[in-house]
Amino acid sequence: MHTGDEYFDSNEFKAILAAYEEAVSKRQAIFMDTDDLIDIADYYNMVGLRDKASAAVDAALEFDPSATLPLVYKAREALAEEDIKSAKDIADEIIDKDDYDYKCLKAEIMVAQDSIDEAEAYLNEVFPTLEYAEHEDFIYDTAGMYLDYGVYDKAYEWLAECSDPDGEECLDMRGKALLGLGRYTEAVAIYEKLIDKSPRTAGYWVSLANAQNQSESYNDAITSCEYALALNPHDASGLFIKASSLYRLGNFEQALEYYRRYNEIAPKDGYGELNVGTTLLHLAHYDDALAHLRKAERQAQSASSGYLSQIHEAMALVYSSLGINGKAIEYIDMVPIAEDDAEECVEHLVVRGHILLEAGRASEAEAMFRKAVIKSSCSPNVMLRVIVSLMDNKYTEVAYRMFKMYFSTFPNTTDGYAYMALCCWEMQNIDEFLFYFKKALTYNKTEATTVLANVVPGGIGLNDYLNKIISANNDHDKSTGIAS
């Protein structure tokens, strides 16, 4: 059995696939090696033809009902459907319990049951019994299995046993493990090393972009995506990460363009529709946003997706922005408060508070905001979002007082100065507006560009506008300077 795109691109595999497809099209009996049929199934799975993959496995079992590889394949299909009982039953049908693939499957079933310690004990028991030539494959197969199940710490530990730690396969898998562990700076270093080795591998650029996006280096992530897309313009992950990075920078128009391109490639992915809808919400295109969010809702419901709550939350925000408060409350009430996930819970509490505030239910909104701040251990990000919600809902003086407390509590923050400048602008407090405008340009120009877009006239840079206001202020002609 072979794996990987290189083999599937080889003339040898193409000849085997052509012979198989000719036999299927003519409804002829298929007499092929079991390993070749499993390679064909792997290929079909890779290109998304799951029914054809299953048919190839069935053909292998018809040829040899006791063959290990097809049974392992079937068992793994069952695991993918979270049907552990069926996977165990199929595994029990395998005659050769000393077979390498059976041992890997047995460990995978343990991991699927979340019996990580049991799996580790078994794997460490098996490893010394293998032929020396199998050791490296076993390390990679074990690490790959752990990566598939999100057990990133164990994957990383197994990869430490690689005989060639600087080899591309080992580095790539270590990079994936580091991404999963949230060690983004280390992942960036890994993928930069891989790109030095193979600069024309689009996947490495995408993984680098992912690590940069996660570490909030959005401009770097966009650059990496551009390299990836130059190599493969239809790379779905490259399009998605670039869209996400543009969105994080507040460049919603361009983000929308790339989310739409992603949707063209992955039209059945409701998560793509969710992101289009959310971006349209930020652009205040509310009717279009609702259309995409409804489509995302249909797709998520049919796929039993885990992001339905995010869709309902976004729909609640759209209805709230439209002033349809009853509908907004109806949709936000559909979203359960995930008490077991602190980050998700805090996010929901902030959104719920904002919607309640827009509906005029200030005391209930205050309770949500207070709970979010406490649950986040007074996170500066959460406090800032609460204050911005107050600003959006015209509680300008309250927001101003809270900003004073925020900057006093977090004197080293780089966030919030542009919002405070906007708050001072609305209060016609020009001296403080200038003070916080300068700080915004010094500490967070991205935030300044996004937040102060409606204050700065089109075609004038932030620095130029600031200098213009300072000059007008010095000439005691504040009203003319501000109005220009």
Side-chain angles (χ1 to χ4, degrees), residues 45 50 54 57 70-93 105 108-109 112-113 149:
N45 250 330
R50 288 189 169 79
S54 292
V57 176
L71 290 171
V72 168
Y73 196 103
K74 286 285 188 185
R76 287 192 169 130
E77 280 188 328
L79 289 175
E81 297 294 325
E82 299 183 2
D83 186 352
I84 293 173
K85 183 182 181 304
S86 292
K88 283 182 169 181
D89 291 343
I90 295 167
D92 287 342
E93 294 177 34
L105 172 63
E108 184 173 347
I109 291 171
Q113 291 176 294
Y149 284 87

Side-chain angles (χ1 to χ4, degrees), residues 218 222 239-240 242-261 274-286 289 388 392 419 446-454:
Y218 301 122
I222 289 167
L239 291 168
F240 192 90
K242 183 169 182 180
S244 172
S245 296
L246 288 163
Y247 179 94
R248 294 292 182 184
L249 290 171
N251 191 339
F252 300 122
E253 292 283 359
Q254 267 198 292
L256 181 62
E257 175 192 340
Y258 280 90
Y259 277 134
R260 288 192 192 280
R261 283 177 60 182
L274 165 61
N275 280 280
V276 169
T278 304
T279 308
L280 287 164
L281 164 63
H282 279 279
L283 290 167
H285 298 165
Y286 301 124
V388 171
D392 288 345
Y419 289 102
T446 299
E447 181 188 84
T449 304
T450 304
V451 174
L452 299 172
N454 293 329

Side-chain angles (χ1 to χ4, degrees), residues 29 37 46 103 112 116 121 129 138 159 182 189 191 208 247 290 326 346 400 429 458 473 483:
L37 288 166
M46 186 185 76
K103 291 173 180 177
I116 307 303
T129 69
F138 192 76
L159 289 165
Y191 283 107
L208 175 61
Y247 179 94
L290 273 178
V346 168
Y400 174 83
N429 186 339
N473 201 39

Side-chain angles (χ1 to χ4, degrees), residues 214-438:
Q214 295 289 352
S215 59
E216 300 182 7
S217 300
Y218 301 122
N219 285 311
D220 290 340
I222 289 167
T223 300
S224 296
C225 285
E226 286 168 355
Y227 280 111
L229 293 169
L231 292 163
N232 179 6
H234 303 294
D235 189 297
S237 296
L239 291 168
F240 192 90
I241 294 167
K242 183 169 182 180
S244 172
S245 296
L246 288 163
Y247 179 94
R248 294 292 182 184
L249 290 171
N251 191 339
F252 300 122
E253 292 283 359
Q254 267 198 292
L256 181 62
E257 175 192 340
Y258 280 90
Y259 277 134
R260 288 192 192 280
R261 283 177 60 182
Y262 171 81
N263 274 1
E264 288 173 9
I265 292 170
K268 295 182 181 179
D269 182 6
Y271 196 62
E273 290 292 340
L274 165 61
N275 280 280
V276 169
T278 304
T279 308
L280 287 164
L281 164 63
H282 279 279
L283 290 167
H285 298 165
Y286 301 124
D287 290 339
D288 284 349
L290 273 178
H292 284 278
L293 291 170
R294 288 190 185 112
K295 185 175 179 181
E297 183 183 36
R298 289 192 299 272
Q299 291 175 326
Q301 286 170 336
S302 64
S304 301
S305 172
Y307 52 83
L308 190 58
S309 291
Q310 290 175 257
I311 296 167
H312 288 154
E313 199 166 84
M315 292 177 82
L317 285 167
V318 174
Y319 280 120
S320 187
S321 299
L322 287 167
I324 308 173
N325 296 319
K327 273 284 189 185
I329 298 295
E330 176 188 331
Y331 271 95
I332 203 63
D333 283 345
M334 291 183 189
V335 183
I337 297 177
E339 296 286 357
D340 58 333
D341 185 331
E343 187 176 344
E344 187 177 330
C345 178
V346 168
E347 171 70 22
H348 175 71
L349 289 168
V350 172
V351 173
R352 183 179 282 269
H354 179 77
I355 287 167
L356 287 165
L357 199 60
E358 284 195 320
R361 292 159 61 170
S363 60
E364 293 172 77
E366 183 184 356
M368 291 296 111
F369 288 149
R370 190 182 302 278
K371 188 174 179 181
V373 170
I374 292 169
K375 200 167 185 69
S376 72
S377 301
C378 297
S379 158
N381 178 55
V382 172
M383 287 186 68
L384 178 58
R385 290 182 62 194
V386 169
I387 300 169
V388 171
S389 178
L390 290 165
M391 281 181 60
D392 288 345
N393 285 282
K394 307 304 178 188
Y395 290 86
T396 310
E397 292 187 9
V398 177
Y400 174 83
R401 291 196 297 273
M402 287 189 69
F403 265 127
K404 289 287 189 179
M405 181 178 69
Y406 170 80
F407 291 124
S408 174
T409 307
F410 306 106
N412 297 320
T413 185
T414 59
D415 300 324
Y417 293 114
Y419 289 102
M420 181 56 155
L422 184 60
C423 192
C424 294
W425 170 273
E426 291 177 357
M427 295 174 68
Q428 291 295 292
N429 186 339
I430 303 305
D431 288 339
E432 282 197 276
F433 167 73
L434 291 172
F435 175 77
Y436 287 107
F437 196 144
K438 289 177 188 175

Side-chain angles (χ1 to χ4, degrees), residues 175-191 207-208 210-217:
K176 288 181 172 71
L178 288 166
L179 277 168
L181 290 167
R183 292 160 59 178
Y184 303 123
T185 303
E186 292 171 80
V188 166
I190 290 279
Y191 283 107
S207 294
L208 175 61
N210 188 17
Q212 291 164 332
N213 177 275
Q214 295 289 352
S215 59
E216 300 182 7
S217 300

Side-chain angles (χ1 to χ4, degrees), residues 80-127:
E81 297 294 325
E82 299 183 2
D83 186 352
I84 293 173
K85 183 182 181 304
S86 292
K88 283 182 169 181
D89 291 343
I90 295 167
D92 287 342
E93 294 177 34
I94 295 173
I95 295 169
D96 185 0
K97 299 295 195 275
D98 289 325
D99 184 88
Y100 175 96
D101 290 290
Y102 169 78
K103 291 173 180 177
C104 292
L105 172 63
K106 185 176 176 180
E108 184 173 347
I109 291 171
M110 293 175 190
V111 174
Q113 291 176 294
D114 206 26
S115 301
I116 307 303
D117 290 342
E118 184 184 355
E120 271 295 281
Y122 175 72
L123 289 163
N124 282 298
E125 180 185 314
V126 168
F127 187 71

